[in-house]
Amino acid sequence: LNIVETDRLLKDLYKYFNLDYKKYAKHLYMDSNDIKKIALSNQLGTHSHSHIPLGMYKREDILEDINTSIKYFKHIGIQKPLAISYPYGDQRAISDDLFNVAEDLGMKLGLTMNRGINLFDTQIQPLQLKRITCNDAPGGKNANPAFWQDIPLV
């Protein structure tokens, strides 16, 4: 489903079950005060505005979507974030255009969903950082001991 279809479906479901979607949204999502609290600790990044796989879009569309998110932050009195976590973040959802737009907008860090550790003995690309999820970490449901075997501990 695209964004419009998803929105319509959710509204119809809330109506069908006689639920107040605004009430649920208030408890499920952050409001501007929550966002400001995170920003005060300098740990706020963007995740785009529309939460679409940005790497599949044209450069102009990528720029517009991320800029919309930045404008919202400015509107509520927050400085432009310096980090982005790319929506979906897998190989289909990231691209050189996306990395270039992030750099052009002044982003310093970009988190992909590419699994791995960013070792300092290799050339790290700050806008293309790998990460692990809780599920991948030791003890997680998808943890693979072989993944951790060759990672230097110092």
Side-chain angles (χ1 to χ4, degrees), residues 88-112:
Y88 304 97
D90 60 13
Q91 287 303 313
R92 297 169 308 153
I94 56 178
S95 67
D96 287 340
D97 276 345
L98 175 56
F99 300 139
N100 291 334
V101 166
E103 183 175 28
D104 292 347
L105 290 172
M107 301 290 157
K108 302 298 180 198
L109 299 172
L111 297 167
T112 71

Side-chain angles (χ1 to χ4, degrees), residues 10-65:
L10 289 173
K11 285 182 180 178
D12 288 347
L13 285 171
Y14 276 102
K15 184 177 180 181
Y16 178 81
F17 289 106
N18 197 30
L19 299 172
D20 181 358
Y21 72 90
K22 291 181 182 178
K23 178 181 172 184
Y24 280 88
K26 182 178 172 113
H27 293 286
L28 291 173
Y29 301 104
M30 292 186 285
D31 64 16
S32 60
N33 290 325
D34 296 325
I35 295 169
K36 288 176 185 179
K37 287 177 188 173
I38 294 171
L40 286 174
S41 64
N42 212 17
Q43 296 185 35
L44 182 68
T46 186
H47 194 54
S48 82
H49 177 73
S50 302
H51 198 270
I52 55 176
L54 294 166
M56 298 175 141
Y57 289 79
K58 294 183 290 185
R59 178 183 170 78
E60 299 77 30
D61 297 328
I62 296 168
L63 181 62
E64 181 180 339
D65 196 75

